[in-house]
Amino acid sequence: MTARAVRNTLRSLADPAIAVHARRFFKTGKGEYGEGDRFLGIRVPVLRRIVKDCRGLALPETLPLLHSAFHEERLFALLLLVDRFRRGDAAERAAIYRLYLAHTGCVNNWDLVDSSAPYIVGAYLEDRDRRVLYRLARSASLWERRIATTATLHLLRGHRYDDTLKIAALLLQDGHDLIHKAVGWMLREVGKRDLSAEKTFLNKHYTVMPRTMLRYAIEKFPPKDRNMYLEGVA
């Protein structure tokens, strides 16, 4: 199996009507975060089914797809890498992790980040030095900053909160709405596992947090508690 064969399969499934909707949904207009991205018009469940049929694709053959101008081809490559990572031995996991970090410029929309960063970067770093996350959190790249915070979702599932909270603190003054949403989401995930840890962070920072970040973080709080934070009287 080759990248060309996968590409031919994907393009045979293209749906122009779905592509039009996707261009709007993923903000591809001038000046928007997904400016210029192109879509074939293939839904995610379809891509996931094709991944199961393409597990024999050699790792180097994922690169032409990862560098594709078409969003779904990049997403397919990332979903395949996630699948390979889960099934791979230590050597293959290390190779996939290195490949991922070498090509973060291709992981350039929020769905691409969220469907891959926790399952490759977060999983690989579970029992390793995680300084790379802080480098990514300080990156000029919006997507690398989102990788840094969403990668910690894997760690949260093991009740490890420190990196999530430290990276959240680094990103408190980030200027982009997609980072506000991601950090708020991760803080909410902390709260699902340890509400006191989330509240300790919020009590220290909520007065300076971007409003969207705060709203995402307290989304599951009881109405009385939500209002206290939103009104600045927590």
Side-chain angles (χ1 to χ4, degrees):
M1 181 171 291
T2 64
R4 178 177 292 181
V6 173
R7 178 171 286 138
N8 289 341
T9 297
L10 294 178
R11 295 190 184 187
S12 73
L13 297 168
D15 184 325
I18 294 174
V20 168
H21 172 75
R23 287 197 297 272
R24 291 195 299 267
F25 183 75
F26 287 104
K27 308 295 185 185
T28 63
K30 186 173 178 58
E32 294 182 310
Y33 63 75
E35 182 177 350
D37 204 355
R38 299 168 65 189
F39 288 81
L40 294 169
I42 307 172
R43 300 196 187 280
V44 175
V46 176
L47 294 175
R48 291 189 182 278
R49 286 199 297 271
I50 299 169
V51 163
K52 293 179 181 180
D53 296 328
C54 297
R55 286 172 173 156
L57 190 70
L59 207 55
E61 287 291 311
T62 64
L63 288 176
L65 298 167
L66 190 57
H67 283 267
S68 173
F70 286 101
H71 189 101
E72 292 93 340
E73 291 184 358
R74 300 197 305 281
L75 179 56
F76 175 87
L78 292 166
L79 294 174
L80 183 63
L81 290 173
V82 168
D83 184 78
R84 291 279 297 270
F85 187 96
R86 284 174 175 158
R87 295 168 175 275
D89 59 17
E92 182 164 27
R93 290 182 176 189
I96 291 170
Y97 169 77
R98 290 193 298 269
L99 183 152
Y100 187 92
L101 286 187
H103 299 277
T104 54
C106 303
V107 190
N108 58 355
N109 214 311
W110 60 264
D111 64 318
L112 304 180
V113 172
D114 298 355
S115 62
S116 60
Y119 312 107
I120 295 176
V121 179
Y124 185 77
L125 296 177
E126 181 174 359
D127 297 312
R128 294 177 172 85
D129 188 307
R130 295 193 278 275
R131 280 179 291 185
V132 65
L133 294 180
Y134 297 86
R135 175 180 65 78
L136 293 169
R138 294 182 176 93
S139 171
S141 164
L142 160 65
W143 307 117
E144 288 192 343
R145 299 197 305 276
R146 189 161 173 123
I147 287 169
T149 189
T150 59
T152 68
L153 180 61
H154 178 86
L155 306 174
L156 287 176
R157 289 169 177 160
H159 296 272
R160 303 177 188 187
Y161 316 127
D162 284 355
D163 292 298
T164 301
L165 297 174
K166 289 176 182 177
I167 289 169
L170 282 176
L171 295 172
L172 277 175
Q173 300 305 314
D174 197 281
H176 205 289
D177 184 64
L178 287 177
I179 299 301
H180 303 168
K181 291 176 180 178
V183 172
W185 169 28
M186 290 303 108
L187 291 173
R188 187 171 73 238
E189 292 294 327
V190 171
K192 287 180 181 178
R193 296 156 176 84
D194 189 335
L195 187 57
S196 65
E198 182 188 4
K199 284 190 170 182
T200 296
F201 182 92
L202 291 175
N203 291 341
K204 183 176 180 180
H205 298 293
Y206 81 96
T207 58
V208 298
M209 291 171 70
R211 203 69 167 175
T212 297
M213 186 185 295
L214 178 60
R215 286 186 179 278
Y216 269 61
I218 64 176
E219 182 180 351
K220 300 298 182 181
F221 283 19
K224 180 181 177 181
D225 291 351
R226 279 204 312 273
N227 290 335
M228 288 177 64
Y229 280 105
L230 291 171
E231 293 168 8
V233 293

